Amino acid sequence: MTVQELPGAASYRPTPPPAWKPRTDPAPLLPDPEPYRVLGTDAAADFAPDVLRRLYTELVRGRRYNTQATALTKQGRLAVYPSSTGQEACEVAAALVLEDQDWLFPSYRDTLAAVARGLDPVEALTLLRGDWHTGYDPREHRIAPLCTPLATQLPHAVGLAHAARLKGDDVVALAMIGDGGTSEGDFHEALNFAAVWQAPVVFLVQNNGFAISVPLHKQTAAPSLAHKAVGYGMPGRLVDGNDAAAVHQVLSEAVARARRGGGPTLVEAVTYRIDAHTNADDATRYRGSAEVEAWRRHDPVKLLERELTERGLIDEDGIQEAAGRAEEMAARLRERMNADAVLNPMDLFTHVYAEQTAQLREQAAQLRAELDAEAEGDDR
Amino acid sequence: MTTVAARTAAKPATMAQALQRAMRDAMAEDPNVIVMGEDVGTLGGVFRVTDGLAKEFGEDRCTDTPLAEAGILGTAVGMAIYGMRPVVEMQFDAFAYPAFEQLLSHVAKMRNRTRGAMPMPLVVRVPYGGGIGGVEHHSDSSEAYYMATPGLHVVTPATVEDAYGLLRAAIASDDPVVFLEPKRLYWSKSDWSPESPAAVEPIGRAVVRRAGRSATLITYGPSLPVCMEAAEAAQAEGWDLEVVDLRSLVPFDDETVCASVRRTGRAIVVHEATGFAGPGAEIAARVSERCFHHLEAPVLRVTGFDIPYPPPMLERHHLPGVDRVLDAVARLQWEAQS
Ligand SMILES: Cc1ncc(C[n+]2csc(CCOP(=O)(O)OP(=O)(O)O)c2C)c(N)n1
């Protein structure tokens, strides 16, 4: 029997009790239909020149970092590198909008955000080189470990922000995620918790068009990823992810809102991954070069450079200087990464528990004996 | 303020009350201890284990979360990073599964991933096991999954005293503890007084609950009372059984277990979880490796069948009871048979 056949079904409506009403008018939460832009618009004139210059320096450095790290994979110095070339505006802005006491929760692609926040470029690559999972003390830098399982760092950001607020601390958490990751359950659970708790957290989705090979339209049927915010009761914002000033502004507003107790925001930055998913991926299998070329013309570094030049905020010398500094960073990185890592295999047992279990002590003794035997063999 | 202590001062305490008292004492001592989960606040948990905590400490310290296990554990991870000590309740054993990703990839590994910089001092309380007539998904014994995950401690009390002591120790631990609560023992009683709680048990020590000379029953949680009863019954048949209560599955107390088996020369592992690749497989292998020359018979296992947990009207056929333990004891006459 279908619903229509039920007696009186045609008139059936679930009738909420009179007190029930939607908690918020969804309209102010909805993203604008077009991504927000600053560069090349009137809004650019109001933008602080210092911030624009700082963004530019970091973008240039970030681009160089990406090409250098990719080169290191070819020399076998990195096990893998997920390049963020084309997405530098998001990476850099995410780092620059945070205060010292704030926390960044990056994904595996966001090495650059960590470096822009001040992390040692070599420490940032430890995970990808393969000497340890995290190369830095996350508490010291307030940068969570680069997270590999998709979307799982989002609830951590929410929990941390909530805990900070319970303690009365002025701390905002910014969590980064890709477009594919928004399909994961942890994404939904994190957004829901954040909105219910009104946690001071900002979610930054870098919609770079693909999750490895899967394009956005196979990932979601939503009008935009920013629209997803509305269902949880938080504002969604859509921004041109290649426009560093726009990303900086939208994220700054979201961070400020979180800081003054206004709750979470979901920001979707529309951008493009110029390189393959990682050095191990063949992007020609799932996308054409015309598309990549079109996005190259919307390059975040060039967009900002044009703005700065047109407004007389930078000249050829300034451009050369930024490039020179980036080159120095790359040279130092190359040099330091070319030194072989010194590893202690006994570390395998050091950080499993606060105190080693009897079982681990036994296994550590076994490895110790194997290492000693190896060393003796070398001597002979 | 009506506290548990006031209400029950004269009466024997239940395991549920001991657990509640443990959380209450820990929360009173350390403002960083917080309790969170589904229905733990106003309702006091579906088993009332968190009864009164929200009233006493406020909803920020005993929080009714949205209904999302990965979200509960995932946000608890973030809170632990920020210096809190979350005690997370999973409503029922099988409903912890959505949180496994957080548990396995983050809770268990965070200390290791960060070279010790970010320990995970959190407790995941999981009511587990059968025997209460629960329908599907309410009676699983998932301890093997937890045990197989490096980085987690796995603890399960079998007595009211241990419920208090072990939970206090779990909350005090700087490592994540999966705290398995044998739900059919929630209402078991003892003379333990909430007024003068016992000393905090260190995690990782098994205890001999009954001394004996002819064989060792190795067990934990809900199967302890079964083994104690079987040991009494076996006395009539001339078997003097020792009963070891593991209390902690990880770390595993090889010392106490092996000392017992070396004394008795025979061992049976008893638990509700499935036998194939279950906790007993690991325990039997460890005992065989370490006590081979002392063994008069192979190490036997008495476990639940290797089936999804059965419907309530059939669960008594699945759960290892006294008779099944006694059958295994009879099979220990290895020399006679072979
Ligand atoms: C839970 C989980 N499933 C699968 C993977 C394997 N994986 C790594 S990256 C990736 C695609 C992610 O795409 P997106 O979220 O769009 O981020 P992007 O790589 O484009 O930055 C997949 C499927 C993973 N890391 N985690």
Side-chain angles (χ1 to χ4, degrees), chain B residues 81-330:
Chain B
I81 295 174
Y82 205 75
M84 292 193 152
R85 305 183 87 86
V87 181
V88 168
E89 177 173 304
M90 294 288 155
Q91 200 156 66
F92 281 92
D93 32 53
F95 306 137
Y97 303 152
F100 265 43
E101 159 70 345
Q102 285 294 338
L103 187 74
L104 273 48
S105 293
H106 294 299
V107 173
K109 292 182 183 169
M110 196 65 89
R111 170 185 291 280
N112 188 254
R113 292 169 72 205
T114 61
R115 282 190 206 257
M118 298 207 312
M120 273 292 118
L122 60 79
V123 180
V124 187
R125 293 179 38 241
V126 188
Y128 82 118
I132 62 158
V135 294
E136 226 191 349
H137 308 297
H138 288 77
S139 302
D140 285 18
S141 294
S142 324
E143 53 268 36
Y145 308 144
Y146 301 117
M147 290 169 71
T149 306
L152 301 177
H153 287 312
V154 185
V155 166
T156 177
T159 67
V160 177
E161 291 79 357
D162 273 358
Y164 179 85
L166 286 174
L167 187 51
R168 287 303 304 272
I171 297 171
S173 169
D174 283 336
D175 283 319
V177 180
V178 175
F179 193 89
L180 299 169
E181 299 175 0
K183 62 172 96 73
R184 73 168 133 129
L185 299 186
Y186 269 146
W187 301 280
S188 64
K189 292 182 177 157
S190 92
D191 290 336
W192 176 82
S193 159
E195 283 306 308
S196 48
V200 173
E201 296 287 338
I203 287 176
R205 303 303 294 171
V207 64
V208 176
R209 294 283 179 204
R210 182 188 197 282
R213 293 191 354 265
S214 39
T216 302
L217 301 181
I218 304 166
T219 191
Y220 56 87
S223 294
L224 177 66
V226 175
C227 288
M228 295 301 278
E229 201 183 325
E232 288 307 316
Q235 194 91 50
E237 313 279 320
W239 284 90
D240 180 21
L241 297 180
E242 183 147 307
V243 180
V244 173
D245 174 5
L246 293 173
R247 307 201 281 197
S248 165
L249 300 172
V250 181
F252 188 84
D253 185 356
D254 287 301
E255 215 178 295
T256 304
V257 169
C258 290
S260 171
V261 176
R262 286 184 191 125
R263 276 196 299 276
T264 63
R266 295 177 177 84
I268 304 172
V269 189
V270 184
H271 61 61
E272 274 184 37
T274 50
F276 187 82
E282 173 63 32
I283 297 166
R286 301 186 79 79
V287 170
S288 302
E289 282 176 1
R290 278 147 218 265
C291 310
F292 185 70
H293 293 293
H294 299 265
L295 286 171
E296 312 272 348
V299 181
L300 300 183
R301 283 172 287 166
V302 177
T303 70
F305 295 129
D306 297 329
I307 55 171
Y309 197 86
M313 291 171 84
L314 291 172
E315 70 177 342
R316 71 186 178 86
H317 300 293
H318 167 72
L319 292 173
V322 172
D323 288 346
R324 210 170 279 165
V325 176
L326 292 175
D327 281 350
V329 172

Side-chain angles (χ1 to χ4, degrees), chain A residues 234-262:
Chain A
M234 75 175 80
R237 294 286 173 256
L238 200 54
V239 61
D240 181 340
N242 288 22
D243 179 334
V247 183
H248 189 278
Q249 185 182 331
V250 169
L251 287 179
S252 298
E253 284 165 9
V255 167
R257 196 177 111 84
R259 212 182 283 294
R260 63 169 185 265

Side-chain angles (χ1 to χ4, degrees), chain A residues 19-20 44 50 74 109 135 200 203 270 310 314 322 350 371:
Chain A
W20 188 91
D50 282 358
K74 301 199 174 100
R109 194 177 298 287
F203 303 100
V270 184
E310 281 173 8
I314 202 169
T350 316
L371 292 171

Side-chain angles (χ1 to χ4, degrees), chain A residues 71-360:
Chain A
L72 287 166
T73 62
K74 301 199 174 100
Q75 296 154 19
R77 285 296 177 183
L78 286 179
V80 67
Y81 186 70
S83 160
S84 58
T85 291
Q87 305 178 213
E88 293 94 341
C90 303
E91 298 286 316
V92 162
L96 296 194
V97 296
L98 296 178
E99 303 284 342
D100 264 4
Q101 75 276 16
D102 296 334
W103 273 75
L104 181 73
F105 286 80
S107 84
Y108 54 86
R109 194 177 298 287
D110 306 317
T111 332
L112 209 57
V115 172
R117 186 162 164 75
L119 193 64
D120 176 335
V122 171
E123 287 185 3
L125 288 173
T126 302
L127 168 77
L128 302 165
R129 170 147 83 168
D131 26 335
W132 200 261
H133 307 304
T134 304
Y136 53 94
D137 180 343
R139 282 179 192 282
E140 183 190 336
H141 300 277
R142 285 160 305 283
I143 303 172
L146 299 170
C147 188
T148 308
L150 296 168
T152 54
Q153 78 278 23
L154 269 50
H156 304 171
V158 176
L160 180 131
H162 178 60
R165 207 163 62 114
L166 288 181
K167 288 179 182 243
D169 296 346
D170 167 27
V171 171
V172 174
L174 189 155
M176 305 175 75
I177 185 176
D179 44 293
T182 65
S183 299
E184 289 281 357
D186 278 39
F187 171 82
H188 301 277
E189 299 192 18
L191 263 67
N192 190 48
F193 270 71
V196 169
W197 284 347
Q198 286 292 287
V201 54
V202 177
F203 303 100
L204 171 60
V205 180
Q206 293 184 70
N207 171 6
N208 65 9
F210 295 88
I212 306 188
S213 65
V214 180
L216 187 68
H217 72 267
K218 289 191 186 172
Q219 202 67 245
T220 181
S224 79
L225 297 172
H227 273 82
K228 295 190 180 234
V230 183
Y232 300 103
M234 75 175 80
R237 294 286 173 256
L238 200 54
V239 61
D240 181 340
N242 288 22
D243 179 334
V247 183
H248 189 278
Q249 185 182 331
V250 169
L251 287 179
S252 298
E253 284 165 9
V255 167
R257 196 177 111 84
R259 212 182 283 294
R260 63 169 185 265
T265 306
L266 174 66
V267 177
E268 174 187 356
V270 184
T271 181
Y272 196 79
R273 160 161 66 66
I274 294 293
D275 289 342
H277 171 67
T278 68
N279 54 298
D281 169 40
D282 174 10
T284 61
R285 280 177 166 252
Y286 53 83
R287 65 186 194 185
S289 54
E291 181 182 299
V292 183
E293 280 319 306
W295 276 95
R296 274 190 203 283
R297 287 193 291 277
H298 193 59
D299 180 80
V301 186
K302 290 281 169 257
L303 284 179
L304 186 53
E305 193 173 292
R306 192 187 313 146
E307 184 81 38
L308 287 169
T309 313
E310 281 173 8
R311 290 182 49 203
L313 293 173
I314 202 169
D315 55 13
E316 193 50 39
D317 285 352
I319 292 171
Q320 289 310 325
E321 196 193 322
R325 281 214 220 124
E327 204 48 54
E328 271 169 39
M329 178 275 305
R332 269 200 308 278
L333 181 60
R334 244 185 347 257
E335 193 183 316
R336 289 176 66 200
M337 291 296 288
N338 274 329
D340 288 331
V342 184
L343 303 176
N344 179 5
M346 296 313 290
D347 275 356
L348 289 175
F349 301 99
T350 316
H351 306 294
V352 185
Y353 296 102
E355 201 184 313
Q356 261 174 33
T357 60
Q359 289 77 35
L360 283 182

Side-chain angles (χ1 to χ4, degrees), chain A residues 15-86:
Chain A
T15 322
W20 188 91
K21 56 177 168 31
R23 279 206 286 198
T24 345
D25 171 9
L29 305 180
L30 279 166
D32 291 336
E34 284 299 313
Y36 179 69
R37 296 204 167 91
V38 169
L39 301 179
T41 74
D42 292 345
D46 302 331
F47 215 90
D50 282 358
V51 178
L52 288 183
R53 283 203 207 90
R54 174 90 202 276
L55 283 168
Y56 179 73
T57 318
E58 288 294 336
L59 282 191
V60 171
R61 214 164 75 101
R63 172 65 50 86
R64 189 63 190 91
Y65 187 87
N66 275 325
T67 54
Q68 185 55 61
T70 303
L72 287 166
T73 62
K74 301 199 174 100
Q75 296 154 19
R77 285 296 177 183
L78 286 179
V80 67
Y81 186 70
S83 160
S84 58
T85 291

